[in-house]
Amino acid sequence: MAYITVTDLSLGYESHVIVKNLDFSVNKGDYLCIVGENGSGKTTLMKTLLHLREPMSGQIVTGDGLKRNEIGYLPQQTEVQKDFPASVYEIVLSGCQGRLGLRPFYSSEEKKLARENMERMGIAGLEKRSYRTLSGGQQQRVLLARALCATRKVLLLDEPVAGLDPVVTMQMYDLIEELNREGITIIMISHDIEAAAKYASHILHIGDKIFFGTRKEYLEGEMGRLFANKREGGERNNG
Amino acid sequence: MDKLFLYLQFPFVRYALIVGVLIALCSSLLGVTLVLKRFSYIGDGLSHVAFGAMAIASVLNFTNEMVLILPITVLCAVLLLRTGKNAKIKGDAAIAMISVGALAFGYLLMNIFSTSSNLTGDVCSTLFGSTSILTLTKEEVWLCIVLSVTVLLIFVLFYNKIFAVTFDEDFSNATGTRANAYNLMLAVVIAVIIVLAMNLVGSLLISALVIFPALSAMRLFNNFKSVTVFSAIFSVICAFLGIVISILAGTPVGSTIVAVDVAGFIICCAAGMITGGAAR
Ligand SMILES: Nc1ncnc2c1ncn2[C@@H]1O[C@H](COP(=O)(O)OP(=O)(O)OP(=O)(O)O)[C@@H](O)[C@H]1O
Ligand SMILES: [Mg+2]
């Protein structure tokens, strides 16, 4: 059984349907990239997967031992207010909140986990810094470390590289790839089809046409050919 | 000084200090969350609701006005905080609407039905805080202590959850924290504090007790724990000084406390600018 199985899902707001008849599944160890135009419903889909909103119809079933609250999440734009006083450590530690249950305070194990994840994301030195004074790339790392505290299984990333410079973008992709190699299942929204084609194992394209399949199927299919043409064109222009 | 010690002999002065400090403590703790959630004005709105409820209670000749005031205020708090996010009427507008509406109705009711000869005086003292903090009975003091300790306990026990939900509600929901339950809890606690605080500073000045400590702390510190702790200390000191000054100088209690808060805020701003404060 797959981690997440989506059958005949429709998404929308009030009575307005955005996406219809979505079918796909995510298995342990997959790296799924969700691509599509602005406003095609990618973020809406992710929020539905996280049970932050109800689907209009259809089903989302989690299986293979994945519990509903074992999904880590990196939101699209961090809607954190500009003047929120919070240190990096406090934010990363709050990733452990799902483990708390009714216990009021974090255990030393959870604190250790938070420190380990900060180390992994290369932000150990920023521990006491205020989140609001960090650069975009550093902020993304903090939120990724927080997400890692919440899960060892599935990470949902909504445009993790938006607004980052090329170098930091590459670092971010490398980090994510490494996490995937360590066995964490990745579901990532991206506008960067090139990166999707490079890193993903599966691709879900939503929009007027819906496509779901492995990367190979995608590249060999209609949309992939379009993409390949575009890339060749781009290279020719550059050269 | 001698005068102060002399006054401290009177139980009503001690009661006023205890109650004042406790209320200041509670409202500052929640103030941090409210300010960060962009609900600074909720104190104001709810206190007007409480004022309206008080008017209804006095028209209906309730002996114990709390029986009516508390439930109505709690209800409004729940409605405001819950619908804050996806309501047709946005948070601040909803608060303004309820606030002004309740205030107008309260005054209207009092005007039509009141038998008091000094109506303006009554209304004025409800709005700006009366001397009722100096006429507290022992039972009222105990009630206040019990409620404050409860609020304090709730805050300490749920501190981590409150931080998480304030910082990022979606993430909390996604990882299994029931953010709405905590919002509901906050709403109830806020309503209780506001009804308590009305005795102290009156409904118009409650926002000050909620906002000033949080804003002052945010000038100086940049992590949540320090901000929370400092705003509690700030609020307690200001309330204490305010009450002492008002007793010694014979000024109105509520306004004096708020004046001290403002002064404290200015000091914190200056200190923040000199040390670089929260910019680090
Ligand atoms: N709260 C809302 N109420 C009503 N409609 C909404 C709401 N949020 C989003 N929408 C609409 O739903 C559609 C899909 O939005 P969504 O945010 O899922 O797009 P997206 O694929 O993530 O776009 P982007 O690439 O810009 O992030 C859009 O047309 C948007 O206008
Ligand atoms: Mg989006």
Side-chain angles (χ1 to χ4, degrees):
Chain A
M1 171 133 193
Y3 262 170
I4 302 172
T5 312
V6 172
T7 38
D8 203 21
L9 188 71
S10 297
L11 307 171
Y13 290 93
E14 271 137 54
S15 58
H16 176 70
V17 182
I18 299 167
V19 189
K20 264 202 308 216
N21 308 333
L22 216 48
D23 282 286
F24 65 93
S25 61
V26 183
N27 285 294
K28 194 172 179 186
D30 279 1
Y31 190 143
L32 173 69
C33 246
I34 303 175
V35 294
E37 291 144 36
N38 286 133
S40 54
K42 304 183 295 297
T43 300
T44 309
L45 170 62
M46 198 163 267
K47 291 202 164 159
T48 313
L49 289 179
L50 288 165
H51 301 278
L52 295 177
R53 31 178 316 113
E54 292 298 311
M56 293 184 88
S57 65
Q59 273 187 320
I60 301 170
V61 183
T62 51
D64 203 5
L66 180 72
K67 289 199 212 85
R68 211 175 118 157
N69 61 358
E70 281 183 320
I71 303 180
Y73 169 52
L74 186 79
Q76 182 166 16
Q77 302 118 355
T78 47
E79 284 174 26
V80 178
Q81 304 98 330
K82 268 203 251 98
D83 56 354
F84 200 108
S87 69
V88 168
Y89 177 63
E90 283 178 319
I91 292 171
V92 175
L93 190 58
S94 78
C96 297
Q97 60 183 280
R99 296 160 198 263
L100 274 180
L102 286 175
R103 186 156 43 90
F105 306 111
Y106 293 111
S107 68
S108 53
E109 211 173 300
E110 282 149 356
K111 289 176 183 164
K112 204 171 126 230
L113 182 68
R115 283 185 204 288
E116 276 168 14
N117 282 324
M118 285 196 293
E119 205 116 310
R120 253 164 112 190
M121 294 296 110
I123 48 168
L126 301 176
E127 193 181 316
K128 291 215 168 69
R129 281 279 296 276
S130 169
Y131 178 79
R132 57 191 160 164
T133 61
L134 300 180
S135 75
Q138 290 169 327
Q139 289 186 342
Q140 287 295 64
R141 280 165 187 255
V142 173
L143 296 184
L144 199 52
R146 176 182 70 164
L148 283 174
C149 284
T151 184
R152 296 267 51 210
K153 292 183 176 169
V154 183
L155 271 185
L156 265 66
L157 313 169
D158 196 343
E159 301 194 25
V161 299
L164 304 186
D165 73 39
V167 176
V168 180
T169 298
M170 283 315 294
Q171 288 174 350
M172 198 73 189
Y173 280 138
D174 286 345
L175 264 177
I176 296 169
E177 197 190 9
E178 204 179 300
L179 293 174
N180 183 235
R181 248 190 266 119
E182 287 170 21
I184 296 178
T185 306
I186 306 280
I187 302 177
M188 176 173 84
I189 293 178
S190 176
H191 282 293
D192 188 352
I193 297 198
E194 210 158 323
K198 186 167 161 210
Y199 297 103
S201 65
H202 292 74
I203 289 179
L204 172 67
H205 185 121
I206 56 179
D208 297 337
K209 272 203 194 112
I210 293 179
F211 171 90
F212 172 70
T214 62
R215 170 179 59 175
K216 196 150 165 273
E217 286 164 355
Y218 184 76
L219 289 177
E220 283 166 0
E222 192 185 338
M223 297 190 200
R225 273 203 302 278
L226 267 175
F227 160 64
N229 285 341
K230 209 169 74 194
R231 187 157 64 166
E232 266 170 33
E235 274 167 12
R236 218 174 290 133
N237 286 344
N238 289 343
Chain B
M1 265 302 149
D2 283 346
K3 202 172 162 194
L4 180 61
F5 282 116
L6 180 71
Y7 277 124
L8 277 178
Q9 312 266 309
F10 296 105
F12 74 88
V13 175
R14 290 201 299 268
Y15 291 166
L17 275 174
I18 294 171
V19 168
V21 163
L22 285 176
I23 289 174
L25 177 67
C26 292
S27 47
S28 67
L29 285 180
L30 286 160
V32 177
T33 311
L34 288 181
V35 168
L36 290 171
K37 270 181 176 284
R38 296 286 179 274
F39 272 119
S40 302
Y41 239 54
I42 202 165
D44 206 52
L46 288 181
S47 62
H48 290 174
V49 169
F51 170 76
M54 189 188 281
I56 297 176
S58 63
V59 165
L60 294 179
N61 267 326
F62 274 55
T63 37
N64 190 351
E65 296 180 340
M66 281 299 158
V67 184
L68 194 69
I69 298 175
L70 207 52
I72 291 185
T73 316
V74 167
L75 189 73
C76 283
V78 170
L79 286 178
L80 284 177
L81 276 188
R82 282 207 45 176
T83 55
K85 228 173 146 192
N86 38 20
K88 290 259 158 29
I89 302 171
K90 280 284 165 224
D92 59 339
I95 292 176
M97 212 174 72
I98 290 188
S99 159
V100 177
L103 191 60
F105 266 102
Y107 186 58
L108 204 61
L109 278 177
M110 280 183 128
N111 221 322
I112 297 173
F113 294 103
S114 176
T115 47
S116 162
S117 53
N118 182 18
L119 182 66
T120 331
D122 283 359
V123 172
C124 193
S125 64
T126 323
L127 290 180
F128 290 102
S130 55
T131 49
S132 66
I133 191 165
L134 296 176
T135 57
L136 293 168
T137 62
K138 210 169 191 169
E139 288 74 40
E140 284 172 313
V141 176
W142 274 111
L143 176 72
C144 185
I145 291 175
V146 169
L147 285 176
S148 307
V149 170
T150 314
V151 168
L152 210 62
L153 268 182
I154 288 179
F155 192 85
V156 171
L157 288 181
F158 293 108
Y159 168 84
N160 285 311
K161 291 285 170 69
I162 290 176
F163 167 76
V165 170
T166 313
F167 183 71
D168 190 343
E169 220 173 290
D170 274 353
F171 186 86
S172 290
N173 271 323
T175 54
T177 304
R178 303 238 313 282
N180 273 339
Y182 288 95
N183 282 337
L184 194 70
M185 184 187 82
L186 281 177
V188 173
V189 172
I190 288 158
V192 171
I193 291 177
I194 279 164
V195 172
L196 278 179
M198 270 187 49
N199 272 330
L200 180 62
V201 290
S203 29
L204 273 185
L205 303 178
I206 283 177
S207 291
L209 275 188
V210 170
I211 299 170
F212 277 110
L215 287 184
S216 307
M218 278 155 68
R219 294 275 132 196
L220 294 174
F221 296 96
N222 54 24
N223 66 70
F224 196 73
K225 199 180 236 159
S226 312
V227 166
T228 308
V229 172
F230 181 83
S231 66
I233 296 172
F234 178 95
S235 191
V236 165
I237 293 177
C238 287
F240 184 83
L241 285 179
I243 295 174
V244 169
I245 292 173
S246 78
I247 289 171
L248 293 181
T251 49
V253 185
S255 326
T256 314
I257 294 178
V258 176
V260 176
D261 270 313
V262 173
F265 175 69
I266 293 171
I267 294 172
C268 286
C269 280
M273 268 192 260
I274 292 165
T275 60
R280 261 166 309 156

